[in-house]
Amino acid sequence: MLAKYKSGVIICLRKLTICLVLVFLTFPGFGQEFRFKRNRQKQSIPFKCIKNLMVIPVYVNGKGPYDFVLDTGVGPMIITDPSIIDSLNFSQLRKIKVSGLGIESVDAYVSQSLDVKVGRASIKYIPAAILKEDLFNLSGHLGLKIYGLLGYSFFNSFIVDIRYSENRLIIYDPDTKIKYRGKKIPIEIESQKPYISATIDASNGKTVEARFLMDTGASHALSLEMLNGMEFPLPQKKIKANLGMSLSGQIKGYVGRVTRFNIGGYVFKDVVAGFPDFTSISNKIDLSKRNGNLGADLLRKFNIQFNYQDGFIYVKPNGFRKTAFEHDMVGMVLYLDQKTYKRVLIGEIDENSPAEKAGLFPDDEIIGINFKSIDAYSLNDLSEMFKSKAERNIILEIFRDNQVYLKIVRLEKRI
């Protein structure tokens, strides 16, 4: 009998926080910054928004472009695709071992000798960590070849104006006078990451002030980890879920809704939130500086101007502001196989989910949906389809054990 859960990776990029804790101490300093050439003061850069994540082109040592996730939740640049090691001839880099509960020890490389270029801005000797193996299969889960993540060095070098409504960002030299839009909210930069305060109605009926890591590299809306030194109170209605994968193993917990979330005076209701298992994560990461993680599914409802150096952001609601928060109504994870990046495979399946009820299993290959070839859809298309409308029927054409099956999945609003 096939297991209900396959060991794998869910596209929940908060997993990288633990990875960075392990490699961060290998870098002696973070003094380098991106700079424009020839007195340029600003530049507009388009980005691809895939599963709420920003993907931008990056050149490394004059080669590229390589697609990177722009991620406020990381410090040093991380190269996640090991193929970039050979293409850049990194044979002389210092090697370290990275290990965690649930996976075997793997090799990683550390470097402060890379030259990186984004648009017309460049940086020399950027701190970087290069994983020997693509542990998280970012490419497979985003449906696009991803080579890594770019964080603090980028955001600390500019005033970064993220316009989610236009799929573009504008970067400004920090000495440039710009027009800020919307409401000013203070942030704190600690360990190269931004933190923000917000109020939240907990399930015990109390309104509490909480501190969150602002994480543009997390596809979810909200993750609630700790309150008063203990697990965050769980909502009455919740479902078991795999919330992601870290170097310390799978992150298990629950998904539910928060009745009210207030950030800077902007109130959001019925926010979908993850509640990771407190016992397991509190033993692996330091939760003393935060109550949770604020991800891109909520952040994208604003156009945001980041000013790391002066410690504030400006936020202005955009066209996504009134879009309701929805959780996946199928209960399974899809990813592309790591060899061809063409076959769409099923990974984890939630217990008692529509996917399980329809008779789907991990390792099933989806070759068609609603009588169209799977080639007609991107993974992002499928992600949106699977949370589109409760009671909708979706016909899946499945390839399993050299046979083709038709499975009908009825979307279900589980929370």
Side-chain angles (χ1 to χ4, degrees), residues 354-355 357-360 392-396 406-410:
K357 294 173 184 177
L360 298 172
R392 176 184 181 184
N393 288 327
I394 295 177
I395 302 172
L396 302 182
L406 288 181
K407 302 290 184 180
I408 300 177
V409 178
R410 189 172 181 84

Side-chain angles (χ1 to χ4, degrees), residues 327-340:
H327 185 58
D328 164 51
M329 299 185 193
V330 174
M332 66 182 181
V333 173
L334 300 183
Y335 65 98
L336 302 185
D337 77 289
Q338 288 181 281
K339 292 183 179 180
T340 66

Side-chain angles (χ1 to χ4, degrees), residues 10 83 100 119 216 244 255 315 340 353 364 372:
I10 298 174
S83 67
T216 62
V255 172
V315 298
T340 66
S353 66
D364 282 349
K372 291 183 181 180

Side-chain angles (χ1 to χ4, degrees), residues 285-314:
I285 59 176
D286 181 11
L287 298 179
S288 62
K289 296 181 179 180
R290 73 189 200 202
N291 300 97
N293 175 293
L294 180 58
D297 194 30
L298 195 149
L299 294 175
R300 76 185 186 100
K301 295 180 182 296
F302 299 101
N303 291 340
I304 308 175
Q305 295 165 297
F306 282 90
N307 189 324
Y308 269 34
Q309 295 190 11
D310 293 331
F312 63 82
I313 59 173
Y314 270 80

Side-chain angles (χ1 to χ4, degrees), residues 12-81:
C12 177
L13 295 186
R14 61 185 303 281
K15 61 187 174 287
L16 290 171
T17 303
I18 301 175
C19 170
L20 289 177
V21 169
L22 297 176
V23 301
F24 175 78
L25 297 177
T26 64
F27 298 106
F30 289 84
Q32 301 88 344
E33 294 180 348
F34 281 88
R35 287 285 184 261
F36 285 123
K37 292 183 178 179
R38 299 174 184 173
N39 297 320
R40 192 181 186 97
Q41 293 185 318
K42 71 175 185 177
Q43 184 176 11
S44 176
I45 300 174
F47 63 81
K48 303 168 188 173
C49 191
I50 305 176
K51 296 187 178 181
N52 299 326
L53 308 186
M54 294 179 288
V55 178
I56 63 171
V58 175
Y59 289 83
V60 182
N61 285 0
K63 297 181 179 180
Y66 302 110
D67 280 326
F68 273 64
V69 173
L70 192 58
D71 188 351
T72 55
V74 304
M77 182 176 77
I78 299 183
I79 295 176
T80 57
D81 191 311

